Every structure is written in structure tokens, then in C-alpha cells.
Amino acid sequence: MTRDEPDTTAGSWEFWIDRGGTFTDVIGRRPDGALVAHKLLSENPEAYRDAAVQGIRDLLGLRRGDRIPVERIAAVKMGTTVATNALLERRGERTLLVITRGFRDALAIGYQARPKIFARHIIKPDMLFERVVEVEERVRADGTVEREPDLASIGPELARARADGIEAVAIAFMHAYRFPAHEQRVARLAREMGFPQVSVSHEVSPLIKLVGRGDTTVVDAYLSPILRRYVAQVAEELAAPIRIVTSSPPPGGGRSPRAARREGVNMQRSESPHPSRYATDPPPPGEGGRDVALMFMMSSGGLTAADLFQGKDAILSGPAGGVVGMAETGRAAGFDRLIGFDMGGTSTDVSHFAGEYERAFETEVAGVRMRAPMMLIHTVAAGGGSILHFDGARFRVGPDSAGADPGPKCYRRGGPLAVTDANVMVGKLIPDFFPKIFGPDQDLPIDAATVREAFAALAREVGGGRSPEEVADGFIKIAVENMANAIKKISVQRGHDVTRYALNCFGGAGGQHACLVADALGMTTVLIHPLSSLLSAYGMGLADIRATRQQAIEEPFGEEALAAIAAAGAR
């Protein structure tokens, strides 16, 4: 089926979507089980409002203005860079930090780490919160209440912040991971005063250490409203109620209640501070149910329901789907040692897999610390859209990117020369085989003639008798070296012999560079899946619904500690 042919097959579709920085990849599973793929620009404001929904419309063969037949859609599973971009560009919600008096600077001080110990000019990242309210309250580590919070004095300060347009509150008190009563009372007051987003540390990250718990709570408050608005936008574009497919399943090992009952598993409600909600099965015929199950990929590599998708879990939403797709397709092909090489339009993500997923639990992204499970992924700013620079003495690739708008020079939007253009120049990208999605009517191929003219002008500027092709090839070599170094960071520098691994290459630009990267690393096997260009989206379809629970246990190591761990795991 082509994107222009309407499909008249009765039944339910599933859509697996990865919304990247440059391209949005969409895989549709038709009612007969066949997979159809589609790729479109993530930003094309003249043509559509949201790329993910437009991809659904295209695969269903709908024209502009046609109603989306939601009764034919069973599920939409998405990974998105909305939270990542908001964090990188500091476009999150205006946030108020409420903290125990005397600790207003605790998050700014952090752990006093000096990553560049010899730097004379230290540039500290900006805090995500813009205002701090200190609360006269204190609970000791043993639970003794030294001072109750004075809600009457807190109220006016919260009201002032609300009147000034602040709509997100992050609450983090000393020792609240064990004794949350004070946080609960202040959170109740904030919600009663109309704050739409209230993140509380004992719910977001119920673990010891004020700094890690507070940082994570601030990230959650800062990003969750952005995600909520995006989810609402997708739901509005689909013009359908969203079936709540929620996830909080430890008792059944990730099973839904219906599946657990079939297998004889006793499903008990969790004692988590969050309401206990489970992943529901698609309703069987005759049981009814709402129209669309909307799920999002978390940074940890599991799917969660739209209404449970939190800011702290969304930072690596898209790349995590790529790791799942890389591992599952590699395993199906018979490889148990894999290096994931995901080169997209904006950046390259590399990952390591040796039989199990590798996750980090305390990470720093864009200068922001957070404590949440994430796939262990290393990112380097070398993608198809990475801009090529010549400063009069040397070539440089990135770190800035042309993105989707305007995109590389060949995208017909007046963009700068980028890595994609270098591949056009050397003949690796052939316009006849590239999607014809450019121009005002989205029906033109990439513009190779403009690229040749631009590289000819750059070759004259560089001088030395270099041809345009040699200049383009020089930029490609630099990009390849950057990507090979990124792979060494997650493999060789951690003691893994990369020559014994297969390079699972995916992403829209991966195939153009896979052999060069493998040669630079001494690797002899490159795996390219038939859906490699859309493998992150494919990973959304392969991923499981997951939930993560955290709990602090403070016991001397021994039988009592082991019993407490067993009891927590059984809940």
C-alpha cells in the first residue's frame, strides 16, 4: 500500500512512532499483520501541526481535513523528544521550589563536583526553578518532628508565585523519603490553591539524599506540564477519547489483571504513594472499551500509559526505543554481543548490549542531575543535519544542527551545508532513491544541484587544489571519527573488546557511515535490519509495558535486611 492509497480493510491498526529531532518515523501494523513504513519531517508548519498524527493520516490514506477513523486504531505507541528539547532549550514550565528552611541553595551547591578541575572560568548551568520558598519545618532522620510546617505562613508565598504566573511546584523536604507527612500537607495546600503541577519528592524519587531527590523532583515539575500538553494535543488531533492503559504491575510481574488471573497470579494493590493502576488487555470482542490506547516510551525502555508519562521518565524516550529495537532484532539474527549505532538527523546515539539491557540510575543531561532509570546511551552531536564549518584553517562537524527546519542544503529550504549534503556530494545519497517529501507540495526529491554549487564554492574557499568531492569526503571522515570515539567510550574504555561485537546500524543516516565506522573500530560484522531506517519506531512495537518502583530500606545488612527486601519485592 502506498501512502496515497486509502485502505479499506476492516479491523484495527497499531501505530509505532518515533518523533526525532529531524524526522518522525511511523510504522503501521495493518489489521492483517503487515507492516508499512512512513517517514516525514518532524517540523513542517506549512503542511501539518503534528508530524506523528500526520504520519497516521498518511498511512490511513486520509486527505487534509478528513476525520481520523479512530474506531480502526487499537493503539498508538510513541517515543518523543518533546521533553528532551524542552530541557536542552530551557523551555519547560516556570517552577517554584519549596524546601526546608536553610537549604535553599542545596540543589545549586549539589555535590560540589568539579568535572573540569583546572578550568579557571567555571560556568554553572542555570537551575530549572526560578524561585525558592523556604518552609519552617524539620523532621529528624529518626522521624522525630522538630517543627511542624506553618501552613498559614506558606500560603501567601504560594499565592504570590501563582499570581506571578508560576504553575509548577516542586516540594522536597529533609528526610521526607521516610517521613512524608509534611510534604503531603504542603502539596495538598498547593493543589487547593490551583497549581496544576505539584511534584512531591517522596513520590517522584523516594530515596535517601536530598540533592538527588530534589533535583529529580524539580525536573519532573519542570517537564511534566510540557508532556501533558503534548499528550493532550495528540489526543485532540486524533479527536478520540484515550483508553487509559496504566502501568503499576509489580505483583503480577508486569502482567495485566486479566492475564494474571488466567495464569493464577494473585494481583494485590501496591502500597506505592501513586494510585495502583495496571496495564489493561485490549478488550475482547463484545466487552467494549474506548477507542485508542495511547502509550509512550520511557527512558528505561518500557512503555507506559499517556496519563502516567512523567517528565523525569521522558528524557531518552526516543533513543530508548532504538535500544530495544537494536537488541531484539540483533538477538533474532543470532547475535548476543551488539553495539547499537543510531545515526539520525540531529545526533548519533550509541549503546552496548551483551545479553541484557544496561541502565543508569543517576545521570546528568544538559547540566541537570536526575535520578531515574535510563537506558545507558552515549550521544554525540554528529547526525545527518550536523552543520559543516570551515574557519579558514580546519574542518569541523557540528555540534550545531540544521534540524528539520530549515534542514540541510539539499532539503530545499535554504539551509546550511550538513553531513547529509556531503553524502549527496560524494554520491552516497542518490536523489531518485530518497523520499520525495520536499518542496511546498512535499513531492520533490532532494536538491543535488544546489549542493554541488555550494561545495564548489567551499572548495574554492578552502583552496589547495581540492575538488568539491574531496572537501565533502574530508567532512565525512571527521564525522566518522567523532562517532567511532563515541563507541569507544561505551565499549573499549569499559573493557569490552569491540572487535568481537556486531555493529547493529540503524537510523536514517546510519547506513551511509556504518562500514566506515566499523573499519575505524576494527569490527568485521555489520547488521542492517530491513527496517533499520525506522528501527527506533520498530522498537516501540517490540517494547513491553513496564513500571518501576523504588523504596529505601535502612537496615543493618543481615537477615532482617534480606527479609525487608523480600517483603518489598513481594508487594
Side-chain angles (χ1 to χ4, degrees), residues 418-452:
V419 172
T420 296
D421 299 311
N423 282 292
V424 172
M425 188 68 229
V426 299
K428 288 184 178 179
L429 275 185
I430 302 171
D432 290 343
F433 299 146
F434 205 82
K436 294 178 174 58
I437 58 173
F438 304 100
D441 297 320
Q442 305 170 71
D443 57 357
L444 296 175
I446 53 177
D447 188 353
T450 300
V451 169
R452 284 192 289 269

Side-chain angles (χ1 to χ4, degrees), residues 456-470:
L458 183 58
R460 288 193 294 271
E461 180 185 349
V462 172
R466 294 180 179 86
S467 69
E469 290 81 6
E470 288 174 325

Side-chain angles (χ1 to χ4, degrees), residues 82 85-93 222-223 226 229:
V82 169
N85 293 341
L87 187 62
L88 292 171
E89 299 167 16
R90 296 298 194 263
R91 290 187 295 101
E93 196 70 47
Y222 186 75
L223 295 178
I226 304 294
R229 284 195 286 271

